[in-house]
Amino acid sequence: EAGVAQSPRYKIIEKRQSVAFWCNPISGHATLYWYQQILGQGPKLLIQFQNNGVVDDSQLPKDRFSAERLKGVDSTLKIQPAKLEDSAVYLCASSPGRRVGTEAFFGQGTRLTVV
Amino acid sequence: KQEVTQIPAALSVPEGENLVLNCSFTDSAIYNLQWFRQDPGKGLTSLLLIQSSQREQTSGRLNASLDKSSGRSTLYIAASQPGDSATYLCAVRGLNAGGTSYGKLTFGQGTILTVHP
């Protein structure tokens, strides 16, 4: 079974530029998460989708971050414009719907450096 | 608001030792708890998942326990090996208003484990 796929693996941009990350969850998984992990800290939830609807985006900086999940499958996370403090690893995860089980599976992450 | 704390922040042990990592959470209304391993520069690998109705789960040399009422979980690693060196993260899944499993996964800060030969 293929895991959660993320791209790119690494990205370096200048502040005030824009960037987009892509995630392809495990096939059939209804729930998709985007997490931000700053060096030395635990992951922080940015947004959670259930199919193509948003369940929780309370910690998403909506003035600069946006995310969408088209047709309830792939998802993109965008930052525009980027700030220095956005340097982090962005992790995507997916889990099945509640009838199947709720173990979360993570991708390898995208490491963003803003200079 | 759920808060998850992991103690210790870092741990260094000689090979062969048994060790315990601790995780505590403030809101006991959880659906499940999951332990992850993270190697440097890598994503998270799921180690064990404990449902709220369970007391423990075992996988090989790993054993995780859950005491929901006191808001605590422990990860026990037997006969540690240098290959166990990594950051260990615990995460709890809260319940949403309907009592389903759509609640968000909240992470602790992690415990950095070093096992030296």
Side-chain angles (χ1 to χ4, degrees):
Chain A
E1 181 183 79
V4 177
Q6 289 187 247
S7 67
R9 286 296 313 278
Y10 306 93
K11 191 74 176 179
I12 301 174
I13 62 172
E14 295 182 350
K15 59 184 179 184
R16 291 187 290 274
Q17 285 188 324
S18 63
V19 64
F21 312 128
W22 175 82
C23 173
N24 180 234
I26 293 173
S27 177
H29 279 195
T31 309
L32 185 146
Y33 316 81
W34 282 102
Y35 282 84
Q36 179 193 58
Q37 187 176 25
I38 294 172
L39 187 64
Q41 299 182 16
K44 181 185 82 171
L45 179 69
L46 293 175
I47 190 167
Q48 177 178 342
F49 293 95
Q50 185 67 21
N51 297 308
N52 59 353
V54 175
V55 174
D56 187 332
D57 63 356
S58 57
Q59 298 188 94
L60 185 74
K62 298 180 184 65
D63 59 333
R64 298 184 301 107
F65 285 65
S66 65
E68 61 179 4
R69 189 179 185 195
L70 298 176
K71 300 180 181 179
V73 183
D74 292 6
S75 177
T76 56
L77 175 70
K78 298 179 182 178
I79 307 174
Q80 182 179 9
K83 293 185 176 181
L84 296 176
E85 58 261 37
D86 297 332
S87 294
V89 176
Y90 290 84
L91 296 162
C92 179
S94 70
S95 63
R98 63 175 182 265
R99 291 193 181 92
V100 180
T102 56
E103 185 172 5
F105 298 88
F106 281 75
Q108 291 292 300
T110 295
R111 181 176 297 277
L112 173 67
T113 303
V114 183
V115 297
Chain B
K1 177 186 174 185
Q2 180 73 271
E3 293 183 2
V4 182
T5 304
Q6 291 187 245
I7 294 173
L11 183 63
S12 180
V13 300
E15 181 176 5
E17 271 204 9
N18 302 325
L19 56 97
V20 174
L21 308 181
N22 297 290
C23 173
S24 62
F25 46 95
T26 55
D27 186 351
S28 62
I30 66 170
Y31 191 83
N32 58 36
L33 182 146
Q34 198 166 353
W35 281 93
F36 293 88
R37 169 185 173 139
Q38 186 173 34
D39 293 286
K42 300 290 181 63
L44 278 64
T45 300
S46 179
L47 297 174
L48 290 164
L49 172 71
I50 311 178
Q51 303 295 347
S52 61
S53 58
Q54 297 176 320
R55 298 285 293 182
E56 65 179 291
Q57 281 286 339
T58 298
S59 176
R61 294 182 294 109
L62 305 179
N63 175 275
S65 67
L66 174 64
D67 184 342
K68 195 176 70 164
S69 61
S70 67
R72 294 182 181 186
S73 176
T74 61
L75 179 66
Y76 176 83
I77 303 178
S80 58
Q81 304 170 358
D84 295 330
S85 297
T87 297
Y88 290 80
L89 294 153
C90 90
V92 296
R93 181 183 301 279
L95 296 171
N96 67 2
T100 66
S101 63
Y102 295 166
K104 72 180 183 182
L105 208 55
T106 303
F107 281 84
Q109 301 283 66
T111 294
I112 302 172
L113 173 66
T114 304
V115 181
H116 48 88

